Amino acid sequence: MKYTIKNAYAGFPSVDLLGGPTPLQRAENLEAVLRREGINVGIYLKRDDLMPIGGGGNKLRKLQYHMASILNNGQDTVITFGGVQSNHARLTAAVCARLGLECHLILSQQVDIQTEDYQANGNLWLNRIFGANSHLLNKGESAPLFAQSLRDRLEQQGKKVAVIPTGGSTSLGALGYAECAAEIARQAEADGLNVRNISLANGSSGTQAGLLAGWIAQGKSPDIITGYAVMANKQITADTTRELTLSTLDLIGRARSSEPLVVNVDDNQLGPAYGQVTESMVEAVALLARSEGVLLDPVYSGKAFAGLLEQLRAGVYGPGDDVIFLMTGGVPGLYAYQSLLDERFTTTGVR
Ligand SMILES: Cc1ncc(COP(=O)(O)O)c(C=O)c1O
């Protein structure tokens, strides 16, 4: 397989899966829509949904570091975890296809949605196209136990197995977003932005932790980064994020500050549970699609964008301020939610 391993962020080996920086794109139409509501703020989209493999998304940045380690170790088979509609699983499948690795996805029923499209379409369907082995667990079945017996079986067949934890959210994976923090800073400076906030979805926390570590490593204040929790409540999400940020800083050899680490997490958009539909998510998805022609996803970025809209409407930012929203991908998830969302889209007015 043709790939290049280079020394990337902080000298750590990385397989290039991106081919260069993703665009930082001004959302001028959305700005105009919001101006009619009296909101006068510069809004920029960091397009991490635009990447050249597997449909793109935040997981590719993390996988660049995981895969370099796997290839350097001579491993040929990958096991990873996720929910039935995991974007991380789909992107791991795509990257394994690209790198010639055997891929096993252990998929759990994390969301109580039984519609046909949720249980068969979206990411799950794409995993098959990428040639991955999807192992669908029954509700309550233990993913770690299943992984252990699968690993034993594969090793008995002579395979060299690597296990990537859920969401790729380890300090090694988080390096991908520390690198992205430096990329955002360069782009924002080149565009002359006055960045007051960077907003993103937080699920398994690796993305926010990486961004925080990368921001801190540049000597900047972590205060401007806001994660919208979509999986667990604010306390749990902030604690996980803090721990992972500190271990990422350790990994890159940054001394810990004596000051407590500020981790901004908002769980107002979580709704009834992970993966369940909220009205504000539906409005956010429709608003960005109908103003900019850009798609959010229903589980992560849709809820996070709803959170940013809530802040903008509350008047937290004003004229002269710029905010950046991290587009983390996940668009295949829209197909899994078609029957749940269809009716709502036809009835949601956004103008
Ligand atoms: C589309 C999308 N956005 C955001 C996230 C959240 O990233 P993290 O798990 O690193 O918090 C995920 C994680 O699965 C995702 O798939």
Side-chain angles (χ1 to χ4, degrees):
M1 287 298 139
K2 197 172 169 301
Y3 55 82
T4 315
I5 296 181
K6 57 181 198 281
N7 286 338
Y9 190 77
F12 283 84
S14 163
V15 190
D16 183 13
L17 302 175
L18 268 59
T22 60
L24 182 64
Q25 172 187 324
R26 187 166 187 180
E28 284 181 278
N29 293 338
L30 176 64
E31 287 176 12
V33 172
L34 292 177
R35 263 199 302 280
R36 297 204 280 276
E37 295 182 30
I39 298 160
N40 208 338
V41 176
I43 302 172
Y44 290 77
L45 306 175
K46 174 63 174 164
R47 300 295 307 273
D48 269 14
D49 55 329
L50 298 181
M51 293 177 180
I53 297 176
N58 60 332
K59 304 303 176 181
L60 280 188
R61 286 198 190 261
K62 304 178 186 180
L63 286 168
Q64 294 191 110
Y65 289 87
H66 286 294
M67 289 299 172
S69 156
I70 288 167
L71 293 167
N72 279 339
N73 289 339
Q75 290 160 311
D76 54 21
T77 301
V78 172
I79 296 176
T80 198
F81 306 90
V84 168
Q85 287 297 335
S86 165
N87 297 300
H88 163 71
R90 181 245 314 166
L91 285 166
T92 304
V95 171
C96 284
R98 172 81 156 220
L99 299 175
L101 302 169
E102 183 172 315
C103 182
H104 292 265
L105 307 172
I106 301 178
L107 305 176
S108 310
Q109 294 286 351
Q110 294 173 358
V111 179
D112 189 15
I113 297 179
Q114 301 306 329
T115 60
E116 197 181 326
D117 44 11
Y118 191 88
Q119 293 295 335
N121 201 338
N123 286 298
L124 192 59
W125 156 230
L126 297 184
N127 296 338
R128 285 182 53 194
I129 299 182
F130 290 125
N133 303 280
S134 290
H135 305 272
L136 282 163
L137 302 192
N138 295 318
K139 210 171 166 48
E141 202 174 346
S142 160
L145 286 181
F146 186 94
Q148 190 54 55
S149 73
L150 175 62
R151 182 183 193 145
D152 292 346
R153 224 174 330 132
L154 292 166
E155 284 178 347
Q156 275 159 20
Q157 294 165 14
K159 296 186 173 141
K160 298 196 177 67
V161 179
V163 177
I164 303 178
T166 306
S169 287
T170 62
S171 46
L172 185 67
L175 292 177
Y177 271 92
E179 186 174 28
C180 182
E183 190 176 303
I184 291 173
R186 275 195 304 277
Q187 290 174 318
E189 197 182 324
D191 291 352
L193 306 192
N194 172 28
V195 182
R196 292 287 316 284
N197 177 262
I198 302 174
S199 283
L200 71 152
N202 185 323
S204 61
S205 303
T207 305
Q208 186 172 357
L211 271 185
L212 282 166
W215 211 248
I216 292 165
Q218 296 173 69
K220 297 178 191 289
S221 166
D223 217 5
I224 68 158
I225 297 173
T226 308
Y228 289 91
V230 300
M231 200 170 267
N233 71 23
K234 179 177 167 143
Q235 188 65 50
I236 293 172
T237 305
D239 288 349
T240 310
T241 307
R242 185 173 296 105
E243 217 168 283
L244 195 46
T245 305
L246 293 172
S247 64
T248 307
L249 287 166
D250 288 345
L251 185 66
I252 62 177
R254 294 281 307 192
R256 289 189 180 202
S257 160
S258 51
E259 303 284 310
L261 172 62
V262 178
V263 175
N264 292 323
V265 171
D266 180 329
D267 63 3
N268 281 349
Q269 300 298 328
L270 177 55
Y274 169 66
Q276 297 294 345
V277 172
T278 62
E279 290 304 323
S280 52
M281 175 277 286
V282 175
E283 194 241 357
V285 171
L287 179 58
L288 198 64
R290 293 171 190 187
S291 59
E292 295 291 340
V294 169
L295 293 171
L296 295 160
D297 82 282
V299 179
Y300 298 93
S301 57
K303 286 185 176 177
F305 201 74
L308 174 60
L309 288 172
E310 185 184 64
Q311 294 296 298
L312 291 168
R313 286 172 174 149
V316 175
Y317 309 106
D321 291 343
D322 294 310
V323 299
I324 295 175
F325 182 76
L326 181 63
M327 298 286 299
T328 43
V331 167
L334 283 171
Y335 299 95
Y337 282 77
Q338 184 182 350
S339 54
L340 286 175
L341 296 186
D342 217 15
E343 165 113 352
R344 289 177 161 100
F345 279 125
T346 51
T347 55
T348 301
V350 293
R351 302 234 167 172

